[in-house]
Amino acid sequence: MNKKTLKDINVKDQTVLVRVDFNVPMEGETITDDGRIVAALETINYLIDQGSKVVLFAHMGRVKEKADKAKNDLAPVAKRLGELLDQEVAFSPVTRGQELEEAIKALKGGDVLLVQNTRYEDIDGNKESGNDAELGKYWASLGDVFVNDAFGTAHRAHASNVGIASHLDSAVGFLIQKELEVIGGAIDHPKRPLIVILGGAKVSDKIGAIENLLPKADKVIVGGGMAYTFLKAQGLEVGKSLLEEDQIDFAKKVMEEADDKLVLPVDVVVADDFSNDANTQVVAIDAIPADWEGLDCGPATVKRFEEVLDGAKTVIWNGPMGVSEMPAFAHGTIGVATATAKLEDATTIVGGGDSAAAVKELGFEEDFTHISTGGGASLTYLEGSPLPGIDAIADK
Ligand code: AMP
């Protein structure tokens, strides 16, 4: 990696602005999963040890109107971070102005301050999400150096990542460094066989990943809603299953290029309704009834996927194998997660989003090499597309 990392810049006794990903799920004021806060601790603790004055920027949810502010207030996150660090974390309820500036001036070496949700700036003309030049410059004026450790927003050019980085010496934090090293290493120098598993709703969301990974992978397993467009492209009828008519030609092209690399479902679980309580049946892929929709892989498919995964040395997985949020249609996702978790001496990576949630829910967190903290960002990285939040960081 040619970007500066935390240890390449001088942070000692400096006021260090850090973009972190604290976009945690909340129920009222309760954080239901603090994984993203925990993931940022290594960088924050390093800065504390270096005597830095640590100023954290983070976003939560979407803030488009005043009513969105209260439910996306970062105050509970400051409290939780304080508990995890075992030291007080100051909180600025505003994103600009005297109160924030004085709070930063009051910091001593090793102190930590969290700034209110950067997207509060979106109410008045999308300043954060639109990477408003004046806002990035203003935030940059509050510190000496910038560290980006928010992988989850690295695929976006916002004022709090790209904007600040364009005015200060900068580096990626330990979390982004790990994301890039592990995912990048698996794509560029995989131990073989490399098996890629792609699932989720739409082919159109995964076109870039398919194009980039198909030539590099030994096998590409395709499951989830996106599989039906491939089945249709083979001339099969898919009933009411998810189908992207405008992607059929792309699917045909992929199948031609893929030779025997592509592994598609051989049977599916169809339902008469998009609900956990629907009537279901297992059918072969050439026998999907017209009025039913495929919502999960069938048992023969799970077995086939397990066989393909057996002996894999690198696995990159993005997207569930069915509607895994509904227990009735989670079997394909559970099957793939279990088979991957069991692999020995393999590098196993799961992207963010539903597949990562399934891995955690099944208690396989420790069995995977890496669970990415960024769904969209990891998919962008798998596509080989630019990540503006990282491109903006100073080169080594
Ligand atoms: P993605 O964000 O592209 O990874 O897609 C995740 C979504 O795909 C989840 O909400 C799943 O419910 C949905 N999904 C997976 N398989 C199917 C399917 N067979 N039919 C409809 N939706 C699906």
Side-chain angles (χ1 to χ4, degrees):
M1 189 175 52
N2 68 338
K3 293 293 168 190
K4 282 191 187 174
T5 59
L6 204 38
K7 294 201 173 156
D8 295 323
I9 58 170
N10 176 27
V11 293
K12 215 165 178 35
D13 307 321
Q14 304 287 300
T15 300
V16 183
L17 309 179
V18 190
R19 178 60 159 100
V20 284
D21 181 4
F22 285 169
N23 191 22
V24 289
M26 306 278 301
E27 264 169 35
E29 290 197 4
T30 307
I31 297 165
T32 53
D33 178 358
D34 65 2
R36 284 183 161 155
I37 307 176
V38 172
L41 292 178
E42 196 185 347
T43 289
I44 298 170
N45 275 319
Y46 172 80
L47 293 170
I48 292 171
D49 289 346
Q50 295 290 312
S52 310
K53 297 162 194 165
V54 185
V55 181
L56 303 171
F57 290 86
H59 81 278
M60 181 179 279
R62 291 205 173 147
V63 186
K64 293 293 168 205
E65 49 193 62
K66 282 215 167 95
D68 296 331
K69 277 183 150 185
K71 62 174 185 278
N72 292 304
D73 187 326
L74 280 179
V77 172
K79 187 163 169 271
R80 181 71 191 128
L81 178 62
E83 289 162 6
L84 289 166
L85 290 173
D86 201 18
Q87 76 174 52
E88 199 182 322
V89 170
F91 179 65
S92 165
V94 291
T95 50
R96 63 165 85 203
Q98 201 182 346
E99 189 176 352
L100 169 63
E101 291 156 26
E102 280 174 6
I104 294 175
K105 266 194 213 122
L107 295 175
K108 296 190 198 67
D111 284 352
V112 178
L113 167 84
L114 175 64
V115 180
Q116 181 59 281
N117 187 348
T118 53
R119 291 195 181 165
Y120 275 28
E121 291 282 349
D122 281 348
I123 290 186
D124 231 355
N126 258 0
K127 291 204 165 72
E128 154 72 330
S129 300
N131 188 14
D132 177 79
E134 177 267 331
L135 180 59
K137 194 171 170 197
Y138 167 69
W139 278 339
S141 75
L142 303 173
D144 302 313
V145 282
F146 175 63
V147 174
N148 187 6
D149 212 17
F151 186 66
T153 49
H155 58 313
R156 310 261 185 238
H158 289 175
S160 63
N161 56 6
V162 172
I164 301 180
S166 50
H167 297 283
L168 292 176
D169 190 20
S170 56
V172 296
F174 294 131
L175 176 61
I176 287 195
Q177 187 180 351
K178 182 177 176 216
E179 295 270 7
L180 296 181
E181 282 172 0
V182 179
I183 305 176
I187 298 172
D188 296 331
H189 319 284
K191 285 184 287 172
R192 293 191 180 274
L194 162 63
I195 312 296
V196 171
I197 310 169
L198 294 174
K202 291 186 181 166
V203 179
S204 50
D205 289 343
K206 311 270 153 101
I207 289 176
I210 295 172
E211 285 182 326
N212 189 35
L213 297 176
L214 190 62
K216 303 179 199 255
D218 295 288
K219 293 273 184 216
V220 178
I221 291 174
V222 172
M226 64 187 277
Y228 297 92
T229 301
F230 284 89
L231 298 179
K232 181 78 180 178
Q234 291 178 334
L236 298 166
E237 290 309 322
V238 298
K240 288 191 170 164
S241 311
L242 258 188
L243 174 65
E244 285 174 282
E245 297 273 1
D246 58 348
Q247 297 302 330
I248 291 177
D249 284 344
F250 173 73
K252 280 185 184 156
K253 186 180 91 133
V254 169
M255 287 189 295
E256 273 165 27
E257 284 168 13
D259 264 338
D260 62 346
K261 276 191 185 179
L262 211 60
V263 186
L264 288 163
V266 292
D267 64 346
V268 292
V269 178
V270 292
D272 61 356
D273 187 24
F274 191 81
S275 120
N276 195 46
D277 307 321
N279 294 307
T280 62
Q281 49 178 321
V282 175
V283 296
I285 44 155
D286 58 358
I288 299 177
D291 280 349
W292 294 57
E293 58 186 317
L295 297 183
D296 198 5
C297 303
T301 301
V302 174
K303 194 154 174 276
R304 172 89 184 100
F305 290 176
E306 283 167 357
E307 283 163 9
V308 170
L309 284 164
D310 189 26
K313 289 289 174 235
T314 307
V315 177
I316 301 175
W317 176 20
N318 188 295
M321 297 290 97
V323 184
S324 57
E325 316 84 295
M326 298 184 197
F329 308 109
H331 299 289
T333 303
I334 292 172
V336 160
T338 309
T340 308
K342 268 198 235 151
L343 292 171
E344 280 172 18
D345 190 26
T347 302
T348 51
I349 297 168
V350 60
D354 294 296
S355 29
V359 167
K360 287 186 193 167
E361 214 164 283
L362 291 164
F364 290 146
E365 218 160 332
E366 298 300 318
D367 300 304
F368 277 71
T369 309
H370 184 62
I371 300 180
S372 177
T373 53
S378 67
L379 189 57
T380 306
Y381 198 40
L382 296 181
E383 288 170 2
S385 301
L387 291 163
I390 292 167
D391 291 346
I393 297 300
D395 290 330
K396 267 193 189 170

